[in-house]
Amino acid sequence: MKWFENPHRDTASEIEDLAYPPSGGRVKLVILGVILPLVVVYFGVQAWLTEEAIWFGNRGSDMVVHGATAKSLGVAYTSIGLFCHFRWFWGLLPVYRVFEVGTVVSLVGFLGGLVFGVYHLCA
């Protein structure tokens, strides 16, 4: 049972919400726009430098990957951190061009890292 599900919202409207800046104040700007991205980018850089990363799965089926797959996941982790930064830092400041371009570039980087990770994992 989904307690808070709105029957008038579908996946398309949820995805469309990513195109608009979020609402919030200084606390959201600092926590989600600075601290969270720094932590996630740190793990992305560590995965790139050590060539060892965790590929998160569902129900505890995480796996440790090495080599080119770990570097690809490092790019994906770094892109997630950049997405959070552009979304909640630049989106809460009135600099919308940086918000839009940064969000799109970080999502493309995430997809690229994920695709190359799957490619290197299966190759």
Side-chain angles (χ1 to χ4, degrees):
M1 179 175 210
K2 297 180 180 176
W3 293 88
F4 299 109
E5 182 178 328
N6 186 347
H8 304 291
R9 298 219 19 136
D10 55 352
T11 305
S13 58
E14 294 292 335
I15 292 173
E16 185 180 351
D17 284 345
L18 289 175
Y20 302 110
S23 62
R26 290 183 190 259
V27 173
K28 191 181 272 189
L29 185 136
V30 170
I31 292 174
L32 295 177
V34 177
I35 295 172
L36 176 67
L38 283 175
V39 171
V40 175
V41 167
Y42 170 76
F43 285 113
V45 170
Q46 283 296 106
W48 180 272
L49 294 176
T50 62
E51 294 187 4
E52 180 176 278
I54 297 176
W55 190 299
F56 294 103
N58 59 350
R59 299 184 184 151
S61 62
D62 304 337
M63 99 178 124
V64 177
V65 293
H66 302 280
T69 307
K71 284 190 170 192
S72 300
L73 280 182
V75 169
Y77 293 161
T78 304
S79 296
I80 291 171
L82 290 175
F83 171 77
C84 293
H85 175 69
F86 286 116
R87 174 105 180 123
W88 285 289
F89 185 82
W90 294 107
L92 292 174
L93 295 176
V95 186
Y96 298 121
R97 184 61 63 191
V98 175
F99 160 74
E100 291 173 352
V101 172
T103 301
V104 170
V105 169
S106 63
L107 289 176
V108 169
F110 172 72
L111 288 175
L114 216 62
V115 166
F116 280 110
V118 170
Y119 172 75
H120 289 297
L121 187 66
C122 296

